[in-house]
């Protein structure tokens, strides 16, 4: 019925709602939904597709009076009011499970990898090839949490141009671009040669930057190798193996704070954020800036035990994809899911990345448009 | 004990944790919390304040071996390992309920107004006065959801300069600045002369822009008056009067979509977003772009009933603050809470606003810094 909507679909009015049936399968659609989603020019703006009326403009007791199918369209007349409209059947039936199609943010849309060998099998994408055909790389960010571009011009400022191929830079107190290299007076440990364990960036910011890009301008340092971990996979594993710990981490807000150069950022959020239907949606994990609230001692102790369990899953050597950013490599990753890390490096050798933040809404929009054009 | 920490605080080790007591009141602090939050130079970077170790670096069985109070500091020694550290008592006790202090995003930090007369009593702030002393206006945005600045230079591009007094512009497909006036081929009903009922902006974007600024360049139109509604107050009222409806709206994701000029935005979110402890945190409400998922018919019907109830609370005339933006007026409002509206206006009269999006993290950070300096 969903794929061949033109064949033998019949409509009936049952209790004021519409029942569509074909091949013994049925879909019941309430009258209020049909009226609210009427696509005609009195109901929706022709140019923008935006709805022209409001829920309170519709009668609470609205019913379908008449329904019929002809020429791949469902035609209905409502009462009271007598409004008539019609729906293309394929569009209408496409609304069933539309949530799953539109949701690119929760675990539902992801391929989880708790074994880094799975992610290691993904090939880097050449910059020129990306520019000609960006959709596969963007889809990899959605499904796997990251993509590695190679051969990107290793020029100062280029990293924002990469972001602008699919979206918009998110400017922060770190600037439109931040330099990741050894600084004389570092406001953040990122700007030292210290090892950094897997983490998400800017957890003390709300809204958190949902994407990060890191472009390697040069890397001749001893050390300074990169790592990446799938935070969604670790959270799903914790849910599987220790449900009580998972529930504690999703229901307990922690505080994240950052203080420096005129900035006083702070956020109160759980380590594992869920959507309205309890799906994994956002990981914030950063040992440098997280603080467990000082509340009931028993809860504090239980929280630390759960936090340790989650950290152990994230830090499992097998969970971490290891690689080295070379000149012209640009890593694009989902900062709500993928944790990144680096090994220590010597200041003398010279390692210089430029980074920028951006957001998933722009990337997802561009991907939808490209995939729509490709169909 | 919290205000006069220097007087008579005593420390005892009980079951490996620390008990602080004074005047018969006690605070128990688990050893793991103390070790994790040790402020000494081996534990925290002196410049950035960031933590230098990881949860998995700490022994799971850590205990306090010795604790004492002297000179307003708590000194502790841990075992195993023998690490010693000390805490300023006022800082340490300030961590109790720190979550409430740091949270500026949920209903906990807000003054709700379901009666517009309350909000109408707030005075507009003169631009020159704002520039000299911005904290009160920014605090009004945090607590009341909006502030109206007057006497802002009514120049094209100025609205982003207002945003940059406290934070950063969020660029979107609408640009860094968008013009709100009658357009010949409007991609959004905002760019027509139609009336727009109370709504939040860009609900189809994730992360949603958490702040919006609208600067009036001129307004000589018949109509085009502005309105504002407190979405948190309406949600709290719904929770009070119809808990089942509230629960349905917080637990049911809807889809928001926007399609235009190469853009395919989509978000799957509830109308009322809660934090990890079920506090009201984010309202998304927009009749133009919201679509109720076509799922189980009984749930769809129940959802529409709840949605209508929420809309009726939002659209109550008494809930809506009405005013008119004049040349040089700049409205700054929390787009996660305050709904805005406008009456219809004639294209001929000339009404031209410029808008920009920004984010609450920057505003909140600036406010914290200013209030810290002011203390």
């Amino acid at each position: 019925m969903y794929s061949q909507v033109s064949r033998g679909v019949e409509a009936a009015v049952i209790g004021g709602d519409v029942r569509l049936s074909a091949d013994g399968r049925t879909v019941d659609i309430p009258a209020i939904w049909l009226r609210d989603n009427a696509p005609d020019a009195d109901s929706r703006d022709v140019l923008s597709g935006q709805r022209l009326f409001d829920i309170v403009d519709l009668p609470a007791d609205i019913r379908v009076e008449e329904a019929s199918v002809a020429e791949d369209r469902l035609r209905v007349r409502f009462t009271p009011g007598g409004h008539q409209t019609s729906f293309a059947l394929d569009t209408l039936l496409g609304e069933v499970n539309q949530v799953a199609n539109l949701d690119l943010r929760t675990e539902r849309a992801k391929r989880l990898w708790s074994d880094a060998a799975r992610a290691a099998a993904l090939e880097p994408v050449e910059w020129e090839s990306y520019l000609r055909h960006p959709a596969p790389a963007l889809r990899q960010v959605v499904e796997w949490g990251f993509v590695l571009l190679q051969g990107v011009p290793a020029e100062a400022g280029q990293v924002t141009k990469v972001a602008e191929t699919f979206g918009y830079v998110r400017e922060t107190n770190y600037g439109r671009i931040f330099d990741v290299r050894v600084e004389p007076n570092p406001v953040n440990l990122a700007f030292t040669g210290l090892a950094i364990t897997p983490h998400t960036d800017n957890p003390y910011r709300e809204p958190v930057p949902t994407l990060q890009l890191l472009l390697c301008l040069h890397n001749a340092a001893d050390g300074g190798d990169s790592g990446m971990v799938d935070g969604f996979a670790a959270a799903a594993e914790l849910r599987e193996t220790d449900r009580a710990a998972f529930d504690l981490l999703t229901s307990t807000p922690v505080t994240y704070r950052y203080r420096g150069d005129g900035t006083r950022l702070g956020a109160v959020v759980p380590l594992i954020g869920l959507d309205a239907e309890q799906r994994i949606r956002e990981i914030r994990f950063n040992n440098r800036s997280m603080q467990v609230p000082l509340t009931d001692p028993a809860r504090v102790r239980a929280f630390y035990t759960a936090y340790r369990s989650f950290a152990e899953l994230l830090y499992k050597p097998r969970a971490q994809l290891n690689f080295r950013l070379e000149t012209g490599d640009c890593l694009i990753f989902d900062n709500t899911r993928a944790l990144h890390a680096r090994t220590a490096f010597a200041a003398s050798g010279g390692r210089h990345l430029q980074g920028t933040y951006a957001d998933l809404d722009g990337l997802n929009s561009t991907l939808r448009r490209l995939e729509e054009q490709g169909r």
Side-chain angles (χ1 to χ4, degrees), chain A:
Chain A
M1 175 164 187
Y2 300 95
S3 53
Q4 292 214 324
V5 293
S6 55
R7 311 270 179 269
V9 176
E10 290 181 7
V13 178
I14 298 189
D17 298 326
V18 168
R19 170 165 294 173
L20 293 176
S21 46
D23 302 330
R25 284 184 296 170
T26 63
V27 177
D28 288 329
I29 311 180
I32 184 71
W33 191 97
L34 287 166
R35 181 64 193 91
D36 192 41
N37 290 288
D40 55 81
D42 291 334
S43 301
R44 294 271 185 168
D45 183 65
V46 174
L47 270 172
S48 66
Q50 294 189 316
R51 190 182 286 106
L52 293 167
F53 57 85
D54 206 285
I55 181 66
V56 297
D57 299 329
L58 300 181
D61 59 347
I62 197 160
R63 297 164 58 85
V64 171
E65 207 171 29
E66 226 182 277
S68 62
V69 169
E71 291 164 11
D72 298 343
R73 296 188 77 83
L74 168 68
R75 281 160 216 285
V76 291
R77 193 174 70 234
F78 300 94
T79 185
H83 187 80
Q84 299 191 46
T85 196
S86 78
F87 299 83
L89 275 177
D90 55 353
T91 307
L92 179 62
L93 293 169
E95 287 301 320
V96 178
N97 295 322
Q98 182 60 29
V99 166
N101 297 334
L102 206 65
D103 171 21
L104 297 180
R105 288 292 297 275
T106 74
E107 57 181 316
R108 170 159 52 188
K110 312 301 180 188
R111 294 176 197 247
L112 304 189
W113 47 279
S114 52
D115 185 339
R118 285 195 69 201
L122 300 166
E123 292 289 331
V125 177
E126 285 298 321
W127 175 239
E128 292 298 334
S129 151
Y130 168 76
L131 289 177
R132 281 193 304 274
H133 189 37
L138 302 182
R139 174 133 301 270
Q140 189 186 316
V141 176
V142 169
E143 291 184 0
W144 294 84
F146 73 98
V147 70
L148 182 62
L149 303 181
Q150 283 184 339
V152 179
E155 291 161 15
Q158 174 69 25
V159 70
T160 58
K161 293 182 193 159
V162 178
E164 286 163 355
T165 61
F166 58 77
Y168 303 93
V169 167
R170 173 98 75 92
E171 188 176 355
T172 71
N173 55 294
Y174 299 114
R176 278 176 61 84
I177 293 179
F178 49 89
D179 287 283
V180 184
R181 61 183 164 192
V182 176
E183 299 275 358
N185 291 301
V187 296
N188 192 303
L189 294 183
F191 312 140
T192 69
L194 291 178
I196 309 251
T197 49
H199 66 283
T200 62
D201 258 35
N202 285 218
Y204 38 72
R205 192 183 301 286
E206 182 60 28
V208 76
T210 51
L211 277 175
Q212 185 173 169
L213 290 84
L214 287 171
L215 172 61
C216 180
L217 299 186
H218 64 269
N219 188 3
D222 274 346
D225 291 351
S226 299
M228 183 143 286
V229 176
D230 183 353
F232 276 23
E237 196 175 343
L238 186 67
R239 180 176 55 197
E240 194 67 32
T241 56
D242 189 348
R243 183 61 195 236
F246 178 83
D247 289 344
L248 204 52
L249 297 187
T250 58
S251 64
T252 308
V254 299
T255 69
Y256 282 105
R257 307 180 207 173
Y258 174 81
R259 191 186 166 86
D261 57 336
T263 304
R264 302 286 183 273
L265 291 164
V268 180
V269 288
L271 292 186
I272 303 172
L274 305 180
D275 78 354
E277 295 183 311
Q278 311 303 306
R279 285 189 190 80
I280 296 165
R281 183 186 169 87
E282 184 174 295
I283 306 298
R284 300 217 196 185
F285 194 93
N286 192 312
N287 74 298
R288 281 170 286 155
S289 55
M290 193 267 269
Q291 204 143 353
V292 178
L294 187 49
T295 56
D296 171 63
R299 188 174 173 100
V300 170
R301 277 184 221 104
F303 184 88
Y304 267 105
T305 303
Y307 170 42
R308 182 185 296 268
S309 298
F310 188 38
E312 284 168 349
L313 292 174
L314 290 165
Y315 297 165
K316 271 191 313 193
R318 215 189 51 175
Q320 184 164 320
L321 177 68
N322 296 301
F323 55 100
R324 185 179 172 85
L325 291 178
E326 304 288 358
T327 300
D329 285 355
C330 184
L331 189 64
I332 306 174
F333 59 96
D334 178 348
N335 189 50
T336 69
R337 172 187 177 196
L339 286 71
H340 61 296
R342 68 151 188 250
T343 60
F345 62 97
S348 55
R351 178 183 190 266
H352 185 191
L353 313 183
Q354 281 195 329
T356 193
Y357 297 117
D359 280 305
L360 282 165
D361 59 337
L363 186 149
N364 292 343
S365 170
T366 300
L367 178 60
R368 285 193 193 94
R369 177 173 52 77
L370 291 169
E371 292 187 342
E372 199 177 290
Q373 287 166 352
R375 272 199 294 271

